[in-house]
């Protein structure tokens, strides 16, 4: 296995330098791209505010789903709860977590790049990847579940490729399978509709081990993988079990999501919705997503980068099952495609390989110049074209969330209801912890889940809240 080391540096120092560069890129681009950044007056995205309210409630003794209701996973709310402890009425804590997550994503992107590219070309690719992903429309406004799952999917992609490069046809080491099971378990309790990738990952590696190692040895893989997922699940069994709310947890997060959000009723409709979802996002970002698809097709069809058929098959399996799980239900919000963005790595590998073949290996001094050019170009591109940056010029005092907060907070121990819509950020700016379960409305029609609006109307009728 190639060791990524700088000239004259030992591996530990090289690791720190490379991760430091990834951290630097993460901070620099996220300062401009996410509304959670301290450069922005506020992150007014309803999804992020709802998650912040759930995390805040959790940190103040509310039991998720039973006492305070939303439909994402408990691990996601725990992340927002910790962020709330770091900053009670702003998203600075979330910004820190975004930086950490994206820097880990970039580091494992480098490791994946380095399987195919020269050391310096791998470094050059990082600012290209960072600016490409953070300027996708699917990045939305910052703080989505997909964003925090980017490092997890990239780590699993890396393990998939080093398995075929360094281990196959032998069995995948149990430790690797266990680690990826834990990653899948984390995704399960962040947003389970993203699990299609790991279904494809485990299914394809199992088939490979079955063909080469026999059933009895191959079956260990799925068992170890499930043990890893259970390891990530045990804390939540403990949390909800102690609070006698396992039914509320599973019913709210699993069953209501499956029955209320899915429009697909057959395999044909699932496939149709998946194809539509993929093509829709290609139209919205034709250059970057076009490069993503181009790289994926080249890797799967041609032998230049992957010689092993099962490696190609595994990569395709992971992508297709991810598409089925994300888009198969019939919903297609703008941020859904972000989880596919790590596949852009393969597009840049193809482009930079061609550049390498034409111009050869760049030395350190020339590579630094190229990196600086790419970096500065990425910053200017972000400032010019990122859909969030128009809010950089907005004053905090001009936002309705802060105007309302100044009025509401005049009432001591005020209570609040965000009636009929998703969380508009008023709980965040006021610092109020909801005293009601259904503190907001959801993206579910009344016919499918009438309880929310019925309860909100009852709160008003019985004067349960002040505002």
């Amino acid at each position: 296995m190639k060791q990524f080391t700088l000239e004259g540096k030992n591996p530990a120092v090289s690791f720190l330098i490379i991760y430091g560069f990834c951290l630097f890129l993460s901070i620099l681009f996220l300062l401009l791209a996410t509304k959670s950044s301290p450069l922005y007056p506020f992150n007014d995205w309803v999804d992020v505010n709802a998650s912040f309210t759930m995390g805040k409630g959790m940190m103040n003794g509310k039991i998720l789903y039973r006492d305070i209701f939303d439909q994402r996973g408990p691990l996601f709310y725990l992340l927002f709860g910790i962020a709330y402890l770091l900053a009670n009425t702003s998203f600075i804590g979330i910004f820190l977590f975004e930086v950490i997550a994206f820097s880990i994503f970039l580091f494992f992107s480098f490791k994946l790049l380095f399987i195919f590219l020269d050391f310096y070309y791998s470094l050059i690719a990082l600012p290209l990847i960072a600016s490409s992903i953070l300027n996708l429309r699917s990045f939305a406004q910052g703080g989505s579940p997909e964003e925090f799952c980017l490092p997890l999917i990239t780590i699993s992609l890396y393990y998939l490729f080093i398995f075929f490069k360094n281990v196959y046809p032998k069995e995948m080491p149990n430790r690797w399978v266990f680690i990826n099971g834990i990653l899948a378990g984390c995704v399960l309790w962040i947003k389970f509709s993203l699990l299609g990738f790991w279904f494809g990952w485990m299914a394809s590696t199992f088939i490979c081990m079955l063909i080469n190692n026999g059933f009895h040895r191959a079956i260990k893989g799925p068992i170890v993988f499930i043990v890893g997922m259970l390891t990530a699940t045990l804390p939540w069994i403990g949390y909800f079990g102690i609070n006698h709310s396992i039914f509320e947890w599973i019913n709210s997060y699993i069953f209501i999501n499956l029955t209320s959000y899915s429009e697909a009723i057959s395999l044909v409709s699932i496939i149709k919705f998946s194809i539509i979802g993929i093509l829709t996002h290609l139209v919205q970002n034709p250059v970057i997503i076009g490069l993503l698809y181009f790289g994926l097709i080249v890797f799967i069809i041609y032998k230049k980068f992957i010689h092993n058929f099962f490696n190609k098959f595994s990569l395709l399996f992971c992508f297709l099952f991810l598409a089925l799980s994300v888009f198969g239900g019939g919903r297609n919000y703008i941020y859904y495609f972000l989880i596919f963005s790590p596949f852009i790595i393969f597009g840049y590998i193809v482009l930079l390989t061609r550049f390498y073949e034409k111009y050869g290996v760049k030395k350190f001094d020339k590579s630094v110049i190229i990196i600086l050019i790419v970096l500065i170009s990425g910053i200017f591109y972000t400032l010019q074209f990122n859909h969030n940056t128009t809010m950089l010029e907005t004053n905090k005092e001009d936002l309705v969330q802060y105007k309302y907060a100044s009025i509401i907070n005049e009432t001591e121990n005020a209570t609040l209801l965000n009636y009929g819509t998703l969380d508009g950020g008023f709980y965040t700016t006021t610092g109020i912890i909801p005293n009601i379960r259904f503190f907001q409305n959801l993206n579910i029609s009344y016919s499918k889940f009438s309880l929310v609006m019925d309860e909100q109307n009852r709160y008003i009728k019985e004067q349960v809240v002040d505002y």
Side-chain angles (χ1 to χ4, degrees):
M1 188 183 299
K2 290 195 295 183
Q3 293 293 323
F4 47 90
T5 56
L6 290 162
E7 294 178 9
K9 306 291 184 182
N10 63 46
V13 173
S14 295
F15 167 84
L16 291 175
I17 292 173
I18 294 165
Y19 182 74
F21 181 57
C22 294
L23 185 62
F24 167 75
L25 291 176
S26 181
I27 293 170
L28 186 62
F29 281 102
L30 282 168
L31 276 170
L32 301 175
T34 175
K35 287 185 178 180
S36 305
S37 160
L39 298 183
Y40 284 83
F42 189 62
N43 190 334
D44 57 352
W45 190 15
V46 290
D47 289 28
V48 171
N49 280 281
S51 300
F52 194 80
T53 303
M54 289 290 288
K56 175 166 58 178
M58 183 185 186
M59 293 297 129
N60 284 276
K62 301 282 186 181
I63 305 305
L64 297 175
Y65 312 113
R66 188 191 73 184
D67 301 331
I68 188 167
F69 187 87
D70 193 43
Q71 291 177 278
R72 290 179 175 82
L75 180 55
F76 190 58
Y77 296 138
L78 176 61
L79 192 70
F80 274 78
I82 297 171
Y84 159 77
L85 296 179
L86 296 174
N88 292 170
T89 58
S90 76
F91 292 100
I92 297 301
I94 288 300
F95 174 73
L96 293 176
F97 283 131
E98 286 183 82
V99 165
I100 293 169
F102 200 67
S103 65
I104 295 171
F105 159 72
L106 288 175
F107 180 74
F108 276 90
S109 296
F110 175 86
K111 296 187 74 171
L112 190 53
L113 289 159
F114 189 59
I115 295 174
F116 301 95
L117 297 175
D118 165 76
F119 180 90
Y120 295 117
Y121 277 76
S122 300
L123 286 179
I124 290 167
L126 292 181
L128 289 169
I129 291 170
S131 59
S132 295
I133 290 176
L134 295 181
N135 285 296
L136 287 172
R137 288 188 64 194
S138 57
F139 180 71
Q141 299 169 66
S144 68
E146 287 79 2
E147 183 181 350
F148 291 108
C149 290
L150 290 184
L152 308 183
I153 198 172
T154 310
I155 292 169
S156 289
L157 273 173
Y158 171 71
Y159 273 108
L160 186 70
F161 274 85
I162 60 171
F163 165 63
F164 283 105
K165 182 175 178 61
N166 300 313
V167 178
Y168 183 85
K170 296 180 182 178
E171 301 170 62
M172 180 179 285
N174 288 332
R175 180 172 61 88
W176 292 7
V177 179
F178 181 71
I179 289 171
N180 282 275
I182 290 176
L183 296 178
C186 291
V187 172
L188 172 62
W189 303 117
I190 293 175
K191 188 174 182 179
F192 68 79
S193 64
L194 308 181
L195 273 176
F197 173 89
W198 283 271
F199 179 86
W201 191 97
M202 189 65 255
S204 58
T205 52
F206 170 73
I207 291 170
C208 293
M209 289 188 283
L210 180 65
I211 292 172
N212 291 283
N213 308 110
F215 179 79
H216 292 291
R217 299 179 74 177
I219 196 63
K220 286 194 305 182
I223 293 172
V224 173
F225 189 84
I226 292 171
V227 171
M229 292 189 71
L230 287 174
T231 301
T233 302
L234 285 174
W236 299 112
I237 295 175
Y239 169 79
F240 290 106
I242 290 171
N243 291 292
H244 309 288
S245 54
I246 286 181
F247 171 78
E248 288 82 1
W249 167 36
I250 300 301
N251 183 58
S252 300
Y253 178 54
I254 303 295
F255 292 114
I256 292 178
N257 271 321
L258 287 175
T259 57
S260 300
Y261 275 89
S262 179
E263 304 292 336
I265 56 175
S266 67
L267 179 60
V268 173
S269 61
I270 290 172
I271 294 172
K272 181 187 75 173
F273 288 139
S274 300
I275 294 171
I276 291 171
I278 289 172
L279 294 179
T280 298
H281 290 273
L282 176 61
V283 172
Q284 292 170 348
N285 287 101
V287 176
I288 298 302
I289 296 178
L291 178 61
L292 185 156
Y293 291 153
F294 170 72
L296 192 63
I297 291 168
V298 169
F299 263 68
I300 291 170
I301 292 180
Y302 297 101
K303 291 185 177 181
K304 183 178 182 67
F305 298 98
I306 302 177
H307 300 287
N308 188 298
F309 167 79
F310 289 109
N311 194 349
K312 297 174 182 286
F313 166 76
S314 299
L315 180 61
L316 179 62
F317 229 46
C318 290
F319 183 87
L320 291 180
F321 275 98
L322 180 60
L324 290 172
S325 69
V326 171
F327 298 120
R331 296 271 183 144
N332 187 7
Y333 292 110
I334 189 66
Y335 55 88
Y336 277 15
F337 193 84
L338 186 65
I339 194 62
F340 294 86
S341 61
F343 289 93
I344 191 68
I345 294 169
F346 303 114
Y348 279 114
I349 289 172
V350 174
L351 288 184
L352 290 171
T353 297
R354 177 61 182 145
F355 195 85
Y356 172 84
E357 290 170 345
K358 188 170 183 179
Y359 297 105
V361 179
K362 296 295 180 185
K363 298 302 180 183
F364 178 75
D365 54 344
K366 293 182 179 179
S367 298
V368 169
I369 294 172
I370 295 173
I371 290 171
L372 285 173
I373 293 171
V374 171
L375 183 59
I376 293 169
S377 300
I379 292 169
F380 277 109
Y381 180 83
T382 303
L383 286 169
Q384 186 68 31
F385 296 106
N386 189 279
H387 52 273
N388 292 327
T389 52
T390 54
M391 196 178 183
L392 285 170
E393 299 175 0
T394 303
N395 294 318
K396 181 182 291 188
E397 295 76 17
D398 294 331
L399 295 174
V400 66
Q401 290 86 352
Y402 287 98
K403 290 181 178 181
Y404 273 43
S406 65
I407 298 170
I408 293 169
N409 285 336
E410 290 178 358
T411 302
E412 188 175 355
N413 299 318
T415 53
L416 178 67
L417 167 63
N418 194 114
Y419 179 78
T421 64
L422 285 162
D423 190 331
F426 303 101
Y427 294 106
T428 305
T429 55
T430 60
I432 291 175
I433 301 159
N435 65 324
I436 48 181
R437 184 186 185 196
F438 298 107
F439 64 94
Q440 61 165 354
N441 195 13
L442 303 168
N443 278 327
I444 304 175
S445 66
Y446 183 82
S447 61
K448 287 189 175 183
F449 194 50
S450 61
L451 180 61
V452 177
M453 285 309 300
D454 288 345
E455 280 292 280
Q456 287 206 338
N457 289 326
R458 181 181 67 82
Y459 300 150
I460 294 173
K461 183 178 179 180
E462 298 178 4
Q463 298 182 345
V464 175
V465 293
D466 298 319
Y467 294 92

